[in-house]
């Protein structure tokens, strides 16, 4: 995993330039930290929980 990450980062630096690669990496890290620090509520996932045909009326 670490080798793949280093190869991908090296390719990104080669294609976009080191400054832009650094900006992209920092933006992704900041976004991941923000998502991890956000309070978790079950209300976001309510629409994604599948309900069977016969189980829609049960509690």
């Amino acid at each position: 995993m670490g080798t793949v990450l280093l190869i991908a980062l090296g390719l990104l630096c080669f294609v976009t330039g080191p400054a832009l690669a650094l900006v992209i990496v920092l933006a992704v890290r900041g976004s991941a930290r923000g998502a991890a620090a956000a309070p978790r509520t079950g209300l976001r996932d309510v629409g994604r929980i599948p309900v069977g045909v016969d189980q829609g009326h049960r509690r």
Side-chain angles (χ1 to χ4, degrees), residues 7-20:
I7 292 171
L9 187 60
L11 184 63
L12 186 66
C13 285
F14 180 74
V15 172
T16 63
L20 186 56

Side-chain angles (χ1 to χ4, degrees), residues 26-52:
L26 291 176
V28 169
R29 286 182 62 196
S31 175
R33 284 183 183 163
R40 299 229 173 220
T41 61
L43 297 177
R44 283 189 329 170
D45 297 329
V46 170
R48 289 190 248 171
I49 298 172
V51 178

